C-alpha cells in the first residue's frame, strides 16, 4: 500500500497554487490529506501532481464574522482551508456562534484525525457518510473557491454533485467555508449511531429549527449515510411525523454493516429525538438570551 | 508514462526529536516510511497505512498525527516527536512509558509507540483525566493484545507519576 | 532461596526495549543496509480463474526493478505445491497451493508473481504493470455453496469435501431415541481472523563467504520455517538459520508456514546475492493470510428431566477455504473440545471439511473451540429453557466431578492422543462465577432496569481447553563465569512475556537473581530443536523444559561446588547466585563454579586465570572427567504423554437498546483455571486480550465476502476490530488453581482461554434479554433488529429455542 508516483508542488502563494492546478489536468489539492492519502496508498487515486497548500499564508483562520458584512452573508463562522477540525472545535467563539459545529465535529473520526484533517477539505471531499457536508447543507452555508479565473461562492445547496463528487472545477481550490451563526430563536442538535465510536455513522441526523414565541416556525433535518449526497428535508409541516416525511426523500441502502430496513428504522428513531433536542435547544438559548 | 527512476527527489529537512535529518525522498514517500527507513527511527510502527490503527501516531508540533497519512515532503516545517523522543534526557522512562511498565500496558509492543505518543500529548492537555477521559484519550488507537484494560490504567498511572514530577 | 518469583507479578523485562521504540520487528531489520531490496506480490483479483498468460515484459525495464518471478521461473521443490503440514488419514482430498500460482487461482489474494526492487514503492509500481489474462471460473463462496457442490473449487474434488471424519463414544443416536426429551438446534458461526497489529514479514540474507542463509521471519515457529526453507531451496539444514525477532502479535496466523513469501524471499536473496525484505501490508493481510471460525452445526440432543445429556449427536460443516495446508486441526478441535466440562453419556460427531474459493482457514486463537463452546453452551441453554430450569443447574447436572479425573472421553484429540482430562474442579469454578457476576441477584437487577424501560440479559458459558500439546520443547541453560545465566528455548514469542515468565522459573529453580537471567526464544542457532508457539503451549512445554534444564545445571553446579567447598551436596543451597553450605559462612559464587567447570589453557580475563591448568584440578586425573563435559550447562526436553486441560467460565450482562438494538456490555466476569500461575499479571493480561478479541468476534468482526468471492471489508475501516470504546470497562477475574499432574510445575496453558466462550456467552445474554433464540454469531445491531422483526409476531416472547418433541 504505497502511493503511485506523482509530481509535487508546495507553493508559497495562492496564485502559484492556482496556476499549478490550472496547468495540470490531473493535479489534486493536498490539505489535511486524511481522506486523500489513504486513497493514494491504496492506489484508488493516482493524481499526476499534488499541490500541497499547507504552506499557503492566511488560510488557517477560524473567525466569526458579524452580520451585515460586505458579502451579505450575515453573521457566521468563517473557516479557512487550512484550519484543522481540531482548530474549529477549539474555537469557543466559533462553537458559540454555531453550536452545531461542535456537536457534529466531535463525531468526526478520532481526535488524532481531527488534528490534521481540515474542515474545508472534508466539505469538498463530499462524502455523504461524513458529518460536515451535511451540516453545511443543513445550515445553508457556502464555500468560497478560487481559481485563476477568479473567485466564486458556492452555496451548500449547489456544492454536492454526487457520491464523493463536489461541483468544484478541477482548477479550483476551496479557500474558505462559511457556516451561518445560530439565529435568534433557533436551535440545533445532532445524534448519530455508528458501529464503533469514531466510525462513519450508520445513520446520523442533525436538526435545525427556528422558533418564535416558543412555537416552531421552521424545522429542517439533515441526514448522514442514508443517501448518496447530503440530504436535508424540510419537516416544518410534518412535525407529527418528521421521520416519515424524511424517509420519503431518503434512499437508505444495504451495506455490510446494516440493512436498508435498519437504517430506515434508525431514521425513525433518531429524527424525532434530534428534532426534540433542537426544539429544546432553541427554547433554552432563547431563554438564556432573554435572561442575559 | 512516468518512470520511477526519473522520479524527482526532494531535499527534505525533518526536525525529529530535537535533531535535524536531511533526507532525499520522492514526493510520495509517506512520513512513516521516511522516519523509519530514511531517519532510522524504527520505533514508529506501521499497522494499517490507512489511518485507522494509530500505531504510527507521532507528535507534529505537539499534536498527535498519523504519520502514515502525511507525506514526508509535507512535514518540512514541523517539529516531530516519535517514541524515541519521549524518553527523559537521562535515558530514563518518561512517566507515560513508566506507567505502561508498571501496569502491564503492553504485550507485543507493536501498537505501543502510538499509544505512548497519543497519551503524552493527551496528558499535556489534560493532566488529571477521569477514567472516562482516559478512555477517550486512547479511543483512536487499536491494540489486539491487551484488551485495553491495562492501557486505561496506564493513562491514570501516568497522570499520577506526572504529578509526582511537579 | 530468597524471594519466590514463581507466582509473583514480576514486571516484564521486554518492556524496556518496547517502550523506548527499541523493539526489533522484522520490518525494522537491515533498514540501514544500502543493499537491501524490497519485495511486492501480485495477487489474484479473482476468486476462481485459470491463468491463460502472464506478461511481465513491462516490468524489468522499470528503473529500480531487480527481478520478477512467476511459477514458470521456479525449479525443483520450489515448483512443487507447498507442504501439507499436518496430514491426517481422513483428509482424503488435501490440496495446497504453489508458492506462485500455477495455471489456476482459487481465492482473491493468491500469490501470482513476486517482484524485487529497490524499494517497496517501485516494487508496487512493477506489480501494477504485470498483465495477466484470466479465464474466469465460477467461484464457490460459503458453506451452502460448497455443500451444494453445483460448482467445485478443485476439478478433482467433485463434492468440495476435503475430509469427512466421524467419532463416536457409545451409541448417541440410540440414546437420543430413548431419551425422555430431545431438542434440535442449528447453529452458525461466521469467519473472522487473528489480525495481529503487525502483519507477516520475512527478511533473508545470503552470505556467499560461508554459503549460509539467514532468515528472519515473523513466525510462530522458527524451526518449522527453517525446515521448509532448507527443503524447498535444496539447502542442508545446517546452512540455514532462522531467527524470530520481536513479533507484533500472532494469534495463530503466523504458525502457518511456509507462506509463499517465506520461501520466495530467501530464494530471491540467494539468487540475487543481496538481502531481501517482504513486509505484508494490511490489505494483503486480509486477503492472503489465514482466516478461521466459519462453521455450520446441526445438533440433536436427548436428555432427562434433570437436564442430564443422555445422547448428543453433532454434525457440522467446516469452511477451510481454498487449500488445506494445516490439515484438519480446527474441526478436530471443535469436534472434541465441544464437550467442555460435561460428560454426555453417548456422543457422536461427524464433520465435513469443505473447499471454498476464499482465503485458507487455519487456527485462530481458540482454534475451533469458540465454535464448539458455542454449540455445547447453546445446547445447555436450550435444555434449560425447555425444562424451565436455571441454566447453571443444567450445567451442574452434566459436569465431570472433581473425583472423576483423569476423565476419559473415549475420543482421539488433535494430537492423535486419547482425549483424557487431567484435572479440574468445575463445580468450584461455577460457584465462583455465580458469586463474581451476581447470578442469583440478577432477576432483581432485571426488574430494576425494566422499571426504567431498559432491557438487560445475562449469560454464561463454560469451556475446557486442551493446552500444551506435544510433541516437545527443549531448553538450554548456561551459567557464564560472570554468574549471568543465558537461557535458550526454541519456541517463539509474540508478546506473551516469555522472557519474563521463563526467567522467573529459572531464577527460582537455580537460585539466581532474576536480573541475571536472559532468555532467548525462536533462534535456531541457539536451540535447533523446537516446535512452536501455538495451542497455549509455551508455558507448559518450554516452561517445563526450562525448569528441567535449570535443574540439570543446578545438579552440576552443586556437584562442583560440593567438591570445592569440601561439603556434601545435600548440605548446599543456592540463593542469589551464591552456593553456600547451609548454616555456615562457606560459600562460592555460581560464576566461580562456572570457572571451575571449564579447565582452561589460556587466561583471557581474571576469571579464566583461575581456571587454567596450573590452578585447578587434580594433576593425577584428566581435566575433564570421563562422562563429564566442560562448562556449567543444563539441557533438557519436556515431552508429555498428552495435553493438559485448562478450563474456565465466563458470564456477561448486556443491555440491548429497545429502540436502536445497540448492544452494551454492563459486566463481564471470568473464572479461570490454568493450574499454577507463573505470573498472574501476564495471565490476566492474556485474559483481557482474549476477552476483547472475543467481543470483537461476537459483536463486531466478520469477513464479508460477496458471492463473487471478493472480501468487501479488507481494511480496518470496515473490519471492525474493537477500540477501547467497544470493550468492557472492566473485566472481573477470579482464579482457581487446579494443578496439572502432567508437568513438574503443575501449570496449564492460558493464552487462548479468554476468547473461547465469547460467542456462546454473548448469544446467551442477548437471548436472555430479547426472549428469542440467538443461533448465529457474530450479531450486529442491524441483525438484532432484523431478528426482532422476524420474532415480532410470536405470541410468547420468552419462547424457548428451537425444539422438537420425541
Amino acid at each position: 500500500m504505497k502511493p503511485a508516483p506523482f509530481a509535487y508542488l508546495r507553493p508559497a502563494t495562492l496564485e502559484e497554487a492556482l496556476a499549478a492546478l490550472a496547468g495540470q489536468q490531473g493535479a489534486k489539492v493536498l490539505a489535511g490529506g486524511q481522506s486523500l492519502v489513504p486513497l493514494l496508498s491504496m492506489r484508488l487515486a493516482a493524481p499526476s501532481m499534488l499541490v500541497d497548500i499547507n504552506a499557503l499564508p492566511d488560510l488557517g483562520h477560524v473567525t466569526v464574522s458579524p452580520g451585515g458584512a460586505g458579502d451579505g452573508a450575515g453573521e457566521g463562522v468563517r473557516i479557512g482551508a487550512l484550519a484543522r477540525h481540531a482548530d474549529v472545535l477549539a474555537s469557543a467563539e466559533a462553537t458559540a456562534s454555531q453550536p452545531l459545529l461542535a456537536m457534529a465535529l466531535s463525531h468526526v473520526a478520532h481526535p488524532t484525525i481531527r488534528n490534521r484533517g481540515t474542515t474545508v477539505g472534508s466539505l469538498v471531499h463530499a462524502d455523504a457518510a461524513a458529518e460536515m457536508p451535511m451540516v453545511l447543507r443543513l445550515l445553508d452555508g457556502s464555500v468560497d473557491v478560487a481559481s485563476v479565473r477568479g473567485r466564486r461562492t458556492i452555496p451548500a445547496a449547489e456544492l454536492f454533485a454526487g457520491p464523493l463528487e463536489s461541483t468544484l472545477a478541477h482548477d479550483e481550490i476551496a479557500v474558505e467555508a462559511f457556516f451561518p451563526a445560530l439565529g435568534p430563536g433557533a436551535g440545533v442538535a445532532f445524534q448519530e449511531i455508528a458501529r464503533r465510536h469514531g466510525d462513519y455513522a450508520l445513520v446520523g441526523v442533525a436538526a435545525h429549527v427556528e422558533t418564535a414565541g416558543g412555537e416552531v416556525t421552521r424545522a429542517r433535518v439533515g441526514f448522514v449515510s442514508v443517501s448518496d449526497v447530503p440530504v436535508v428535508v424540510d419537516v416544518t409541516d410534518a412535525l407529527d411525523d418528521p421521520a416519515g416525511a424524511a424517509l420519503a426523500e431518503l434512499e437508505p441502502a444495504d451495506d455490510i454493516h446494516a440493512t436498508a430496513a435498519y437504517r430506515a428504522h434508525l431514521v425513525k428513531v433518531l429524527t424525532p429525538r434530534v428534532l426534540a433536542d433542537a426544539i429544546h435547544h432553541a427554547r433554552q438559548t432563547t431563554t438564556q438570551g432573554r435572561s442575559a | 508514462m512516468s518512470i520511477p527512476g526519473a522520479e524527482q527527489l526532494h531535499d527534505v529537512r525533518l526536525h525529529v526529536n530535537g535533531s535535524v535529518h536531511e533526507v532525499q525522498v520522492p514526493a510520495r514517500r509517506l512520513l512513516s516510511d521516511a522516519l523509519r527507513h530514511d531517519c532510522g527511527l524504527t520505533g514508529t510502527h506501521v499497522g494499517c497505512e490507512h489511518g485507522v490503527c494509530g500505531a504510527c501516531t507521532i507528535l507534529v508540533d505537539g499534536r498527535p498525527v498519523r504519520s502514515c497519512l502525511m507525506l514526508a515532503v509535507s512535514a518540512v516545517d514541523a517539529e516531530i516527536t516519535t517514541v524515541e523522543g519521549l524518553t527523559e534526557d537521562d535515558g530514563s522512562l518518561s512517566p507515560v512509558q513508566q506507567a505502561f511498565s508498571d501496569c502491564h500496558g503492553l504485550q507485543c509492543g507493536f501498537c505501543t509507540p502510538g499509544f505512548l505518543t497519543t497519551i503524552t500529548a493527551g496528558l499535556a492537555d489534560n493532566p488529571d483525566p477521569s477514567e472516562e477521559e482516559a478512555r477517550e484519550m486512547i479511543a483512536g488507537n487499536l491494540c489486539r493484545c491487551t484488551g485495553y484494560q491495562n492501557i486505561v490504567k496506564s493513562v491514570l498511572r501516568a497522570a499520577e507519576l506526572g504529578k509526582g514530577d511537579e | 532461596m530468597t524471594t519466590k518469583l514463581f507466582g509473583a507479578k514480576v514486571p516484564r523485562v521486554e518492556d524496556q526495549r518496547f517502550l523506548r521504540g527499541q523493539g526489533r520487528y522484522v520490518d525494522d531489520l537491515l533498514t540501514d543496509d544500502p543493499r537491501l531490496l524490497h519485495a511486492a506480490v501480485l495477487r489474484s483479483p479473482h476468486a476462481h480463474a485459470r491463468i491463460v498468460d502472464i506478461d511481465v515484459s513491462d516490468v524489468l525495464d522499470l528503473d529500480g526493478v531487480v527481478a520478477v518471478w512467476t511459477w514458470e521461473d521456479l525449479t525443483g521443490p520450489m515448483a512443487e505445491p507447498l507442504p501439507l503440514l499436518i496430514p491426517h488419514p481422513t483428509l482424503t482430498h488435501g490440496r495446497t497451493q504453489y508458492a506462485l500460482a500455477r495455471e489456476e487461482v482459487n481465492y482473491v489474494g493468491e500469490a501470482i508473481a513476486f517482484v524485487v526492487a529497490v524499494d517497496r514503492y517501485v516494487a508496487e509500481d512493477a506489480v501494477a504493470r504485470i498483465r495477466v489474462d484470466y479465464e474466469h471460473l465460477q467461484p464457490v463462496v460459503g458453506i451452502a455453496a460448497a455443500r451444494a457442490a453445483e460448482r467445485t473449487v478443485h476439478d478433482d474434488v467433485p463434492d468440495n469435501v476435503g475430509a469427512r471424519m466421524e467419532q463416536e463414544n457409545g451409541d448417541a443416536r440410540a440414546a437420543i431415541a430413548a431419551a425422555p426429551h430431545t431438542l434440535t438446534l442449528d447453529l452458525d458461526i461466521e469467519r473472522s481472523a487473528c489480525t495481529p497489529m503487525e502483519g507477516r514479514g520475512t527478511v533473508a540474507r545470503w552470505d556467499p563467504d560461508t554459503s549460509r542463509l539467514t532468515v528472519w521471519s515473523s513466525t510462530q515457529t522458527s524451526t518449522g520455517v527453517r525446515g521448509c526453507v532448507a527443503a524447498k531451496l535444496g539447502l542442508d539444514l545446517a546452512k540455514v538459520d532462522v531467527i524470530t525477532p520481536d513479533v507484533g502479535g500472532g494469534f495463530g496466523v503466523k504458525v502457518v508456514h511456509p507462506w509463499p513469501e517465506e520461501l520466495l524471499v530467501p530464494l530471491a536473496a540467494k539468487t540475487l546475492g543481496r538481502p531481501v525484505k517482504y513486509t505484508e501490508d494490511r490489505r494483503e493481510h486480509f486477503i492472503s493470510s489465514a482466516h478461521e471460525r466459519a462453521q455450520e452445526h446441526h445438533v440433536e440432543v436427548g436428555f432427562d428431566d434433570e437436564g442430564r445429556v443422555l445422547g448428543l449427536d453433532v454434525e457440522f460443516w467446516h469452511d477451510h477455504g481454498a487449500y488445506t495446508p494445516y490439515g484438519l486441526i480446527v474441526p478436530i478441535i471443535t469436534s472434541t473440545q465441544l464437550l467442555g466440562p460435561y460428560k454426555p453419556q453417548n456422543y457422536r460427531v461427524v464433520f465435513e471439511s469443505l473447499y471454498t474459493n476464499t482465503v485458507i482457514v487455519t487456527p485462530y486463537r481458540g482454534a475451533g473451540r469458540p465454535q464448539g463452546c458455542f454449540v455445547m453452551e447453546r445446547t445447555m441453554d436450550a435444555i434449560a429453557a425447555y425444562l424451565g430450569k436455571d441454566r447453571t443447574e443444567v450445567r451442574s447436572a452434566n459436569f465431570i466431578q472433581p473425583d472423576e479425573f483423569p476423565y476419559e472421553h473415549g475420543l482421539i484429540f488433535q494430537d492423535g492422543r486419547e482425549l483424557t482430562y487431567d484435572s479440574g474442579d468445575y463445580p468450584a469454578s461455577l460457584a465462583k462465577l455465580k458469586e463474581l457476576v451476581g447470578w442469583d441477584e440478577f432477576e432483581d437487577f432485571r426488574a430494576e432496569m425494566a422499571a426504567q424501560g431498559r432491557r438487560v440479559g445475562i449469560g454464561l458459558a463454560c469451556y475446557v481447553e486442551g493446552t500444551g500439546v506435544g510433541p516437545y520443547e527443549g531448553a538450554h541453560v548456561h551459567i557464564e563465569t560472570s554468574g549471568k545465566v543465558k537461557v535458550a528455548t526454541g519456541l517463539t514469542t509474540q508478546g506473551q512475556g516469555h522472557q519474563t515468565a521463563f526467567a522467573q522459573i529459572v531464577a527460582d529453580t537455580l537460585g539466581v537473581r532474576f536480573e541475571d537471567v536472559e532468555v532467548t526464544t525462536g533462534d535456531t542457532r541457539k536451540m535447533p530443536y523446537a516446535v512452536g508457539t501455538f495451542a497455549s503451549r509455551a508455558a507448559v512445554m518450554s516452561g517445563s523444559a526450562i525448569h528441567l534444564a535449570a535443574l540439570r545445571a543446578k545438579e552440576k553446579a552443586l556437584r562442583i561446588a560440593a567438591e570445592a567447598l569440601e561439603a556434601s551436596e545435600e548440605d548446599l543451597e543456592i540463593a542469589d547466585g551464591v552456593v553456600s553450605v547451609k548454616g555456615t559462612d562457606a560459600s562460592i559464587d555460581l560464576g566461580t563454579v562456572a570457572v571451575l567447570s571449564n579447565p582452561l589453557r589460556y587466561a583471557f580475563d581474571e576469571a579464566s586465570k583461575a581456571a587454567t591448568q596450573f590452578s585447578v584440578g587434580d594433576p593425577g586425573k584428566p581435566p575433564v572427567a570421563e562422562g563429564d563435559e566442560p562448562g556449567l550447562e543444563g539441557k533438557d526436553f519436556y515431552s508429555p504423554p498428552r495435553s493438559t486441560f485448562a478450563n474456565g467460565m465466563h458470564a456477561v450482562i448486556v443491555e440491548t437498546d429497545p429502540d436502536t438494538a445497540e448492544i452494551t456490555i454492563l459486566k463481564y466476569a471470568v473464572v479461570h483455571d490454568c493450574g499454577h500461575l507463573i505470573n498472574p499479571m501476564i495471565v490476566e493480561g492474556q485474559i483481557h486480550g482474549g476477552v476483547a478479541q472475543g467481543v470483537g468476534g461476537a459483536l463486531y468482526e466478520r469477513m464479508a465476502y460477496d458471492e463473487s468471492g471478493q472480501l468487501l471489508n479488507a481494511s480496518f475501516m470496515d473490519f471492525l476490530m474493537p477500540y477501547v470504546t467497544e470493550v468492557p470497562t472492566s473485566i472481573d477475574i477470579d482464579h482457581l488453581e487446579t494443578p496439572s499432574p502432567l508437568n513438574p510445575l503443575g501449570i496449564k496453558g492460558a493464552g487462548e482461554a479468554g476468547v473461547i466462550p465469547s460467542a456462546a456467552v454473548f448469544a446467551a445474554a442477548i437471548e436472555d434479554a430479547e426472549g428469542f433464540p440467538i443461533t448465529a454469531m457474530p450479531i450486529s445491531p442491524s441483525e438484532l433488529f432484523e431478528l426482532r422483526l422476524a420474532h415480532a409476531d410470536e405470541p410468547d416472547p420468552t419462547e424457548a429455542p428451537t425444539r422438537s418433541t420425541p
Side-chain angles (χ1 to χ4, degrees), chain C residues 153 286 383 570-571 595 652 692:
Chain C
V153 176
F286 275 105
I383 293 171
E570 294 78 60
D571 295 334
V595 170
V652 67

Side-chain angles (χ1 to χ4, degrees), chain C residues 357-407:
Chain C
N357 288 109
T358 54
V359 170
I360 59 166
V361 165
T362 67
Y364 161 26
R365 194 181 203 170
R369 293 179 188 87
Q371 301 94 312
C373 181
F374 180 67
V375 168
M376 193 69 190
E377 294 299 304
R378 295 277 64 211
T379 302
M380 286 290 160
D381 286 343
I383 293 171
Y386 179 91
L387 295 173
K389 284 183 169 297
D390 185 288
R391 287 169 283 171
T392 61
E393 276 179 40
V394 170
R395 285 169 171 82
S396 295
N398 286 285
F399 278 155
I400 296 164
Q401 295 302 308
D403 60 0
E404 292 179 289
F405 293 98
Y407 186 86

Side-chain angles (χ1 to χ4, degrees), chain A residues 57-152:
Chain A
D58 307 326
L59 289 177
H61 60 280
V62 179
T63 51
V64 175
S65 59
D71 62 2
E75 187 192 333
V77 181
R78 296 191 170 276
I79 299 173
L82 289 174
R84 316 292 162 174
H85 293 306
D87 299 332
V88 181
L89 262 176
S91 166
E93 202 190 8
T95 55
S97 172
Q98 180 42 267
L100 186 57
L101 288 175
M103 294 177 190
L105 277 170
S106 62
H107 290 277
V108 175
H110 292 105
T112 306
I113 299 295
R114 300 200 290 264
N115 283 339
R116 188 72 190 167
T118 62
T119 302
V120 172
S122 165
L123 295 174
V124 298
H125 188 56
D127 190 341
E131 291 80 2
M132 299 318 286
M134 180 270 274
V135 166
L136 189 82
R137 177 81 182 75
L138 177 67
L139 295 174
D140 279 330
S142 60
V143 171
D144 279 10
V145 303
S147 72
V148 289
R149 295 169 288 127
R151 288 176 83 108
R152 63 178 180 131

